[in-house]
């Protein structure tokens, strides 16, 4: 496996009396797709929030060789760390192209970009963003308002939005939630294409078909602790992982 792009050591997040993450360590190798899974409430979104500067933590996060601890969200994003949100973060009234364009801009410029778009002033995507649009085969729907898209395509637009800033690592928070198994498999193929284009991925999802088919490695959280990590099949056969899920493993559309 390649050298780690992201190294998390002893990360702990507390919400009042709740320890959402408890001394978690993990590595994401450069170029890999690592799946972060676990039962409801295990701490997966909290991990995404902490890494991207949306939740306070103790411990150490190293990204591309430097420590991120103490940096606010926009400075982490500027260093090449992007994320999606469970709610998809898409504006229904804007077209696919306009939604993607918002992702292209730095946090500092996002507001002025939004104002320009809502003011009717069009901006054109950069060449790099055009490549993402082609990669995800969104060229045919650029003028379509996002509110008219299927759930699967909305998720794909949020993937494109996250990629538009040219990140090194993207943290996807449940991109397959609300998708049926066909849409989820299709999304998985798009994520593979994204990975092959050179972007490293941390994928949080409940869809076991998706994570086992696209991930190189899995990390399993339970009650805020890592209980297993390694190749997908090995991890899912781990008795501790089976016990943690207690038969509650969901398939596409259940999450
Ligand atoms: P799910 O699969 O249901 O999305 P998850 O693995 O993403 O769950 P988190 O959302 O990270 O889990 O939650 C981890 C724990 O932290 C849970 O006990 C949750 O109730 C708690 N928690 C999360 N966010 C907050 C918050 N803002 N304030 C207080 N407690 C929180």
């Amino acid at each position: 496996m390649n050298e780690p792009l992201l190294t998390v050591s002893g990360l702990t997040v507390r919400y009042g009396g709740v320890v959402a993450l408890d001394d978690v360590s993990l590595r994401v190798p450069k170029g890999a797709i690592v799946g972060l899974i676990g039962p409801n409430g295990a701490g997966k979104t909290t991990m995404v929030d902490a890494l991207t500067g949306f939740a306070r933590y103790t411990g150490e996060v190293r990204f591309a060789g430097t420590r991120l601890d103490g940096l606010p969200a926009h400075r982490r994003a500027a260093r090449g760390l992007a994320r999606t949100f469970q709610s998809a973060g898409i504006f229904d009234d804007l077209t696919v192209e306009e939604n993607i364009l918002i992702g292209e801009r730095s946090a500092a410029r996002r507001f002025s970009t939004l104002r320009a778009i809502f003011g009717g002033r069009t901006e054109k995507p950069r060449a790099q963003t055009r490549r993402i649009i082609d990669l995800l085969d969104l060229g045919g729907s650029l003028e379509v308002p996002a509110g008219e898209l299927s759930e699967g395509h909305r998720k794909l637009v949020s993937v494109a939005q996250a990629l538009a800033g040219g990140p090194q690592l993207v943290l996807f928070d449940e991109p397959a939630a609300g998708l049926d198994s066909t849409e989820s498999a299709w999304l998985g193929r798009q994520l593979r294409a994204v990975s092959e284009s050179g972007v490293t991925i941390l994928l949080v999802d409940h869809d076991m078909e998706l994570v086992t088919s696209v991930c190189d490695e899995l990390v399993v959280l339970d009650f805020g602790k890592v209980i297993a990590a390694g190749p997908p099949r090995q991890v899912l056969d781990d008795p501790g992982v089976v016990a943690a899920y207690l038969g509650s493993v969901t398939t596409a559309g259940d999450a």
Side-chain angles (χ1 to χ4, degrees), residues 15-162:
Y15 293 117
V18 177
V19 183
L21 289 173
D22 187 1
D23 196 22
V24 171
S25 297
L26 60 86
R27 292 148 51 104
V28 179
K30 200 167 169 32
I33 305 183
V34 173
L36 183 64
I37 65 171
N40 288 324
K44 305 178 296 294
T45 295
T46 301
M47 174 60 80
V48 174
D49 287 344
L51 294 176
T52 51
F54 289 86
R56 284 174 173 274
Y57 60 84
T58 56
E60 185 179 302
V61 177
R62 281 190 171 270
F63 176 64
T66 57
R67 279 186 73 163
L68 296 184
D69 314 316
L71 292 185
H74 69 276
R75 291 194 47 203
R76 292 173 192 238
R79 291 195 182 197
L81 191 60
R83 70 171 295 176
T84 63
F85 291 87
Q86 283 186 15
S87 56
I90 297 299
F91 293 90
D92 283 346
D93 293 341
L94 298 187
T95 65
V96 167
E97 184 174 49
E98 288 164 343
N99 270 290
I100 296 171
L101 202 60
I102 290 165
E104 192 185 73
R105 302 298 191 254
S106 68
R109 288 203 52 213
R110 229 164 250 195
F111 186 66
S112 61
T113 300
L114 261 175
R115 210 169 39 197
I117 289 170
F118 279 113
R121 297 196 299 283
T122 48
E123 303 195 19
K124 283 291 151 204
R126 295 182 194 137
Q128 170 200 299
T129 308
R130 296 284 336 170
R131 281 196 291 277
I132 291 156
I133 288 166
D134 292 343
L135 178 75
L136 299 177
D137 205 14
L138 284 166
S141 53
L142 289 179
E143 302 306 318
V144 178
E148 294 178 13
L149 299 174
S150 68
E151 194 56 26
H153 266 96
R154 284 171 64 79
K155 292 294 171 70
L156 198 61
V157 173
S158 72
V159 170
Q161 198 182 55

